[in-house]
Amino acid sequence: MSTTDARSSTISDAQASEPEFLKRIFIRSQMSEFVKDPLLMARADGIHYWDVKGKQYLDALSGIYVASVGHNNRRVIDAIRQQMDQLTFSPVMHGSNTLAVKLANRLVELGPEGMGAVKLLSGGSETTEAAIKMARQYHKLTGNATKFKIISRYQSWHGSTLGSLSAGGLTSRRATSEPLAPGFIHVFPPTCYRCPFGKEYPSCDITCASLIGDVIELEDPSTVAAVMVEPIGHTGGIIDPPDEYLPMLRDLCDKHNVLLIFDEIITGIGRTGEMFAAQTFGVTPDMICLGKGLSGGYSPVAALMCSQVVADAFWGDPAVNPGFLEGHTFEGNPLSSAVGLAVLDEIVERDLCANVRKVGAHLRRGFEALQAKHDCIGDIRGKGLFQCIEFVADRNTRRQFDPPIGQTIGKHVLAHGLLTRFDPHWIAFGPPLIVTEKQIDDMLALLDQSITAITSAL
Ligand SMILES: Cc1ncc(COP(=O)(O)O)c(C=O)c1O
């Protein structure tokens, strides 16, 4: 049977747009809304998508921070084709494969100094979940079996599995799955624009960081395993910490023998202008979680990278040390590893990190120009090709719109062919790392029109 036959043997492409068939797929939001005006993508190339009706979209979001090297990237596709003819699966219970070993070594080479080993996985949630388990097992193996608590932040997102969801701090998404796992403690993020402590930077002395030290002490350091943060928080509205914040966390963790985990599922693989945000901020954590951009969207691949010190704890006599007890059927899949290697080659050989720095600075200037034109833009945050604008009804008081306008603008601009990440009060761009300044200008022009259209009707 040909590929076409196999696809048409159930329903046709045209039928796939009909409510009767659409209602059979769970998506991430209310299906009854989705079926009314479904967005079904048909193909993509470079920084563009086309939906099934032939409408073109500029992708200012890399799908969802995934398509790092652009859509339809020939190097990655050729790598998949070549690998298809060689090996598509290897026995994970009994070993690995050369592609997986190469990818692990490539990541360690590219990582901050001191990284030692990599656990390859298939998705972001698996990776943050594995980081939590690695932290706990590390302490058990090094004689600190009572250390199990994980400190993470409100408004954060670390994934959908129960452990990663327990670490996450989004009340709305946690609520539907409660009760969640015990052993997770949440602290406030470094939201300078709306400081939870009512302070101003720099006179605040970075209270949001020093309080994490207080929390570790109050919880009892002998019970705390790790602090897990996104170097730049996403779901709270691109929460870009002050320079001192991450170094302070590093010191606090060192002081209390607590592991520092960076969830770089979004910020990793070039997005902030260096291969890892750890390098952008000059802070080396004990573990780095990678996903999204490492796959480029070509095959599910994710990775947990740990320091040599952590890796050493898992090395030893099997009679007393079982190694890292975490396993998934598709870990280190050869096809996915070939994809990861090709994505990394593409970024390194085309020096896409330099492009991110250059075009990211252009994006910042573009957002600033929009802010000068539209009073409703209160703040601009982020680094490289990971930036957002926050909407406010009053710039002086920073009062938010009620009802919010972020989603209305986001939906309007989507209808006009621009894919962004929109929330009630902010809109973010995270385009593929190959994006040009001209393409950013085109994206900003569409956003500008939508802001004008929505705010002039208020
Ligand atoms: C920072 C962060 N961590 C973890 C995850 C979970 O990744 P996945 O959806 O691949 O499971 C996400 C996904 O959006 C994320 O943004």
Side-chain angles (χ1 to χ4, degrees):
M1 186 185 273
S2 76
T3 312
T4 318
D5 290 340
R7 280 162 40 138
S8 59
S9 65
T10 48
I11 58 167
S12 68
D13 283 0
Q15 283 175 314
S17 302
E18 291 170 12
E20 187 190 338
F21 297 100
L22 283 170
K23 73 180 187 190
R24 301 217 190 283
I25 179 167
F26 278 110
I27 59 155
R28 289 184 77 157
S29 52
Q30 179 45 255
M31 292 153 73
S32 63
E33 281 301 303
F34 169 63
V35 298
K36 285 183 201 157
D37 185 18
L39 177 58
L40 292 181
M41 293 306 187
R43 70 185 180 93
D45 187 57
I47 64 149
H48 291 97
Y49 274 108
W50 286 266
D51 70 15
V52 288
K53 296 175 195 150
K55 181 174 167 177
Q56 179 179 295
Y57 298 80
L58 267 172
D59 183 6
L61 190 58
S62 309
I64 180 72
Y65 307 109
V66 169
S68 48
V69 294
H71 304 281
N72 197 17
N73 180 293
R74 299 324 297 177
R75 182 202 292 259
V76 185
I77 291 169
D78 287 346
I80 297 171
R81 288 214 170 104
Q82 267 188 27
Q83 190 54 38
M84 289 276 250
D85 290 333
Q86 296 294 318
L87 177 73
T88 57
F89 189 79
S90 65
V92 287
M93 280 298 284
H94 310 297
S96 188
N97 61 82
T98 48
L99 272 293
V101 176
K102 282 185 190 175
L103 178 56
N105 278 273
R106 189 79 175 111
L107 284 168
V108 170
E109 261 167 44
L110 293 169
E113 220 181 305
M115 289 294 120
V118 174
K119 176 80 176 174
L120 291 172
L121 298 147
S122 306
S125 309
E126 260 185 21
T127 307
T128 49
E129 188 97 12
I132 294 162
K133 293 182 189 170
M134 183 176 270
R136 289 176 174 174
Q137 198 185 335
Y138 165 83
H139 287 300
K140 287 192 167 73
L141 288 168
T142 53
N144 294 296
T146 56
K147 279 179 166 286
F148 69 93
K149 292 178 190 165
I150 308 293
I151 297 177
S152 54
R153 301 188 306 210
Y154 293 115
Q155 296 181 329
S156 65
W157 178 249
H158 296 294
S160 295
T161 54
L162 274 178
S164 60
L165 193 62
S166 305
L170 280 186
T171 312
S172 56
R173 296 205 204 165
R174 289 164 54 91
T176 49
S177 301
E178 280 171 340
L180 297 174
F184 291 85
I185 291 146
H186 293 88
V187 293
F188 285 101
T191 321
C192 291
Y193 191 61
R194 300 183 181 283
C195 177
F197 309 104
K199 297 187 175 183
E200 286 286 330
Y201 176 80
S203 59
C204 63
D205 287 334
I206 329 295
T207 304
C208 50
S210 59
L211 267 180
I212 294 179
D214 297 340
V215 170
I216 294 174
E217 281 175 24
L218 287 166
E219 288 290 331
D220 179 355
S222 73
T223 67
V224 181
V227 170
M228 178 153 84
V229 295
E230 298 159 79
I232 300 176
H234 175 234
T235 36
I238 317 293
I239 301 176
D240 199 355
D243 289 346
E244 300 88 336
Y245 180 84
L246 292 172
M248 282 174 75
L249 256 54
R250 178 68 278 178
D251 289 347
L252 288 167
C253 286
D254 286 344
K255 181 175 167 196
H256 296 293
N257 186 23
V258 166
L259 296 177
L260 180 59
I261 304 169
F262 280 179
D263 176 349
E264 293 220 35
I265 307 281
I266 292 181
T267 59
I269 315 299
R271 186 144 298 282
T272 67
E274 301 289 343
M275 192 56 86
F276 304 99
Q279 292 153 331
T280 300
F281 286 98
V283 175
T284 303
D286 302 292
M287 285 181 232
I288 299 180
C289 303
L290 300 167
K292 294 183 184 282
L294 178 61
S295 88
Y298 292 86
S299 177
V301 53
L304 171 62
M305 178 156 59
C306 69
S307 70
Q308 188 64 57
V309 173
V310 173
D312 284 347
F314 290 86
W315 187 272
D317 176 359
V320 286
N321 186 339
F324 182 34
L325 283 185
E326 171 76 353
H328 293 275
T329 301
F330 295 111
E331 68 179 56
N333 176 268
L335 269 186
S336 296
S337 300
V339 163
L341 282 165
V343 166
L344 292 174
D345 281 352
E346 187 77 346
I347 292 175
V348 171
E349 284 175 28
R350 290 175 64 180
D351 200 1
L352 292 181
C353 289
N355 192 57
V356 171
R357 292 192 291 274
K358 179 170 86 85
V359 182
H362 186 75
L363 172 61
R364 175 60 62 125
R365 288 190 293 274
F367 274 159
E368 282 165 359
L370 286 185
Q371 188 179 34
K373 183 173 170 186
H374 299 283
D375 287 343
C376 64
I377 301 178
D379 199 22
I380 304 168
R381 295 186 289 272
K383 289 198 178 354
L385 291 175
F386 184 39
Q387 298 191 41
C388 86
I389 49 176
E390 178 171 335
F391 299 108
V392 287
D394 181 332
R395 269 192 200 164
N396 293 323
T397 61
R398 300 180 184 179
R399 180 170 55 82
Q400 293 180 321
F401 280 95
D402 183 16
I405 62 168
Q407 276 168 334
T408 320
I409 293 171
K411 284 181 187 167
H412 188 277
V413 81
L414 180 63
H416 288 79
L418 180 68
L419 201 77
T420 65
R421 170 68 159 86
F422 52 83
D423 226 62
H425 300 290
W426 51 271
I427 285 188
F429 277 20
L433 314 186
I434 58 167
V435 72
T436 64
E437 292 184 352
K438 164 77 177 63
Q439 289 165 336
I440 290 288
D441 291 342
D442 294 345
M443 293 170 183
L444 289 168
L446 286 168
L447 182 59
D448 185 12
Q449 284 167 19
S450 288
I451 296 173
T452 303
I454 299 303
T455 52
S456 57
L458 287 176

